[in-house]
Amino acid sequence: EVQLVETGGGLIQPGGSLRLSCAASGFTVSGNYMSWVRQAPGKGLEWVSVIYGGGNTYYADSVKGRFTISRDSSKNTLFLQMNSLRVEDTAVYYCAKWRGGIFDLWGQGTLVTVSS
Amino acid sequence: DIQMTQSPSTLSASVGDRVTITCRASQSISDWLAWYQQKPGKAPKLLIYKASSLESGVPSRFSGSGSGTEFTLTISSLQPDDFATYYCQQYNSFSRTFGQGTKVEIK
């Protein structure tokens, strides 16, 4: 079955760090463009980051310099390392397969709450 | 960044109604537009891409149209499973942006 499963969310204090994981099955993470999209509580969707098949990475301005997207081909897993977290980073984080700029497969999401 | 504006924000409709949602881009995006459906507590689901192409497995009652700056998503006959929030997304510019969403609720 083709699916994505995110883990790693939780409650973290402002300024802290967290690493999200997204395990893929039914296809290879390294053979596809993969992305993270987030959704603040009760709000809309915001694209966060993408990693291309060749390894190039790109970020939204709101997270540039603080978040790092990466992957592990041996584990077929996508990661999002989040540093210097802010209250406004509180959201459900989804990993998604990127197809030509659209998101055609999504995980179930993992909630990150940044609060003191 | 390209701004995407959806209208209405909320729409009340009955089963069997024809429903239309509009999405406007702050600049021309050609036909690089997608539509998603999201139910409470669930991930978004891709419905339409390239403004009018139906994603595999999506019922044919969903259709999309438009180009440039104005786009529409139409549900020809609303079904109970269609009550959800719908988002448009542009992919003309690198920084992909979404509309604020349109909630379709039961009248």
Side-chain angles (χ1 to χ4, degrees), chain A residues 39 52 58 98-99 101 103 107, chain B residues 36 38 43 55 89 94 96:
Chain A
Q39 186 171 35
Y52 283 2
Y58 301 91
W98 167 297
R99 187 184 87 206
F103 308 99
Chain B
Y36 300 84
Q38 186 179 35
E55 178 71 351
Q89 177 233 326
F94 182 80
R96 313 315 190 198

Side-chain angles (χ1 to χ4, degrees), chain B residues 20-23 33 35 48 51 63-67 70-74:
Chain B
T20 299
I21 299 168
T22 298
C23 177
L33 185 100
W35 289 97
I48 301 278
S63 63
S65 65
S67 66
E70 188 153 336
F71 303 85
T72 58
L73 173 70
T74 300

Side-chain angles (χ1 to χ4, degrees), chain A residues 39 43-45 47 50 52 58 94 98-104 106-107, chain B residues 34 36 38 42-46 49 55 87 89 91 94-96 98 100:
Chain A
Q39 186 171 35
K43 302 297 184 182
L45 299 161
W47 170 74
V50 63
Y52 283 2
Y58 301 91
Y94 296 100
W98 167 297
R99 187 184 87 206
I102 59 176
F103 308 99
D104 66 348
W106 298 66
Chain B
Y36 300 84
Q38 186 179 35
K42 301 293 185 183
K45 172 188 172 184
L46 177 65
Y49 62 96
E55 178 71 351
Y87 294 93
Q89 177 233 326
Y91 53 112
F94 182 80
S95 187
R96 313 315 190 198
F98 294 84
Q100 82 281 11

Side-chain angles (χ1 to χ4, degrees), chain B residues 41-59:
Chain B
K42 301 293 185 183
K45 172 188 172 184
L46 177 65
L47 299 176
I48 301 278
Y49 62 96
K50 215 157 185 299
S52 60
S53 296
L54 197 67
E55 178 71 351
S56 176
V58 174

